[in-house]
């Protein structure tokens, strides 16, 4: 998919995040609030799929919501998510929001930086 390839063209962390987010959003087909509310703890990356746990919502009261996102060769979802989550791990981030702001320096914005900028979902 051209958007993901274009995002990855510079081989920089912001592109890794964007391509992972595009692939995830395309495969997940959830509401945007579900995408941004996902935490690293809600995701398990397996060899050929992602397992996503969603919190209870107004439509699924008292139901466990585990979604299995099987990879597709054209999306390379597992590869893209492994690269993004691996980058977060290298930054010392193993909990909290899955998709985070990346600064121009290539570092992930800290909670303090995000709070100063007015972000609403600071860990």
């Amino acid at each position: 998919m051209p958007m993901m390839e274009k995002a990855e063209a510079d081989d920089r962390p912001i592109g890794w995040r964007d391509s992972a987010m595009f692939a995830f959003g395309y495969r997940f087909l959830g509401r945007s609030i579900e995408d941004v509310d996902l935490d690293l703890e809600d995701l398990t990356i397996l060899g050929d799929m992602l397992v996503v746990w969603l919190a209870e919502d107004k439509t699924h009261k008292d139901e466990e919501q585990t979604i299995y996102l099987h990879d597709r060769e054209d999306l390379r979802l597992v590869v893209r998510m492994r690269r993004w989550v691996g980058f977060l791990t290298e930054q010392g981030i193993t909990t909290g929001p899955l998709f985070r702001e990346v600064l121009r320096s290539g570092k992930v914005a800290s909670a303090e930086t995000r709070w100063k900028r007015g972000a609403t979902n600071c860990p």
Side-chain angles (χ1 to χ4, degrees):
M1 303 197 118
M3 279 192 318
M4 292 177 282
E5 291 167 2
K6 186 172 183 172
E8 295 169 327
D10 297 8
D11 198 30
R12 295 178 350 160
I14 195 165
W16 304 338
R17 183 215 45 209
D18 291 351
S19 69
M21 200 167 20
F22 290 147
F24 182 84
Y26 183 84
R27 194 71 178 109
F28 182 60
L29 294 175
R31 294 180 288 241
S32 59
I33 190 69
E34 293 170 333
D35 293 353
V36 297
D37 278 351
L38 282 177
D39 287 336
L40 287 161
E41 302 90 330
D42 301 331
L43 180 73
T44 302
I45 303 174
L46 302 176
D48 64 343
M49 76 175 86
L50 301 182
V51 180
V52 182
W53 177 84
L54 297 177
E56 179 182 287
D57 66 15
K58 64 182 179 182
T59 309
H60 302 92
K61 293 285 184 194
D62 301 321
E63 290 180 33
E64 180 179 324
Q65 294 188 84
T66 302
I67 298 172
Y68 301 89
L69 303 176
H70 294 273
D71 205 352
R72 293 184 357 199
E73 193 168 318
D74 62 329
L75 290 178
R76 297 185 4 213
L77 175 61
V78 170
V79 170
R80 288 181 164 112
M81 290 301 289
R82 277 188 204 277
R83 182 175 49 197
W84 173 242
V85 171
F87 172 73
L88 292 176
T89 301
E90 288 172 7
Q91 300 280 311
I93 300 167
T94 57
T95 61
L98 175 60
F99 297 113
R100 298 163 177 254
E101 178 183 5
V102 178
L103 302 173
R104 289 183 185 170
S105 65
K107 301 284 184 188
V108 176
S110 68
E112 182 179 326
T113 301
R114 292 173 46 75
W115 182 78
K116 287 179 183 176
R117 292 182 181 187
T120 56
N121 62 346
C122 298

